[in-house]
Amino acid sequence: MTATAPGFTPLAEERASWSGIYFLTPIDAGLSAYDIAIPTPSGPAPAWRIDGSDSQSTRWAIHIHGLGSPRAGTLRGVRVTTELGYTSLVVSYRNDGEGPRRGTGRSTLGATEVDDVDAAIRYAINQGARQVVLFGWSMGAQVALQLAAGPRYRRLIAGLVLESPVLDWVATIKANCARAGLPAAAGLLALPWLISPLLARAVGLPGSIPLGDLNWISRAQELAVPTLICHGADDDSAPPAVSRRLAALRPDLVHLEVFDADHTMTWNSDQERWRSTVAAWLIAEVTN
């Protein structure tokens, strides 16, 4: 089924691309949500709180969207956690277009956005959460992995579900150069502007971005919780080969499911398989 967003009337000669976003609001997904604001270091960040079928559940899921995507994109995964009784938070963060604006409004590729999602975890704890699963979509996976690897929530975070994860920014930058018709090596020219404090500030970043700290191939041994990765074989933005490598490095914790899909499109390519895969994994690895 296809449809267009309200107020959007494309012309025949215009170009468009598929975003994969299927539900614009919780109501569209058949979910009942509360609008809340989470106090973060950047300011109040809008979020949806969606209670699961078990209203007294101490199991929570926090859904983290990716770069350039609204939080509504994660609603595809919220329906699974709701059916399993989890309370869900669908969060925003600094400079994502919905959350608070900070500095020049530039993304730091998950390096500072993590602090705002950290605040969402603290909100969940204050509301009674005793077990948390993080759903990270694309760049949201970077945020989820950082939180799970740190010591603060070692006893709280029980699992990760990563959709089309960005696991290595250098590989992702190269892939997106190739996607744009540029030599993959052209991405190397961008790296100094990210990792040099002086150059980073010159392009409006608050400081350098520690790309080495955001490389989960080199940090594979730091993974500490069961992790499910759903990745599309045709993803030309976040290379699926990186997910395969991580799964090979940590077969004790990482389970990879490959779909015939593009970036963040695995749910769209096969809704029933995605739902049953995620639900079965949560029941086997987290709930029990």
Side-chain angles (χ1 to χ4, degrees), residues 6 31 38 42 44 47 59 61 82 92 96 100 103 109 115 164 185 203 208 225:
L31 301 167
I38 294 174
S42 305
R59 296 196 309 270
T82 301
S92 62
D96 68 353
L109 307 183
D115 294 335
S164 306
V203 295
S208 61
V225 299

Side-chain angles (χ1 to χ4, degrees), residues 129-148:
R130 296 295 177 265
Q131 188 181 68
V132 169
V133 174
L134 301 179
F135 279 63
W137 293 64
S138 190
M139 188 188 85
Q142 280 286 346
V143 173
L145 285 159
Q146 291 176 76
L147 291 165

Side-chain angles (χ1 to χ4, degrees), residues 7-8 16 62 73 83-84 91 110-111 115 133-134 175 203 264 267 270 275:
F8 175 59
I62 296 179
E83 291 170 0
L84 293 178
V91 301
D115 294 335
V133 174
L134 301 179
V203 295
T264 67
W267 181 95
D270 192 334
R275 187 204 67 78

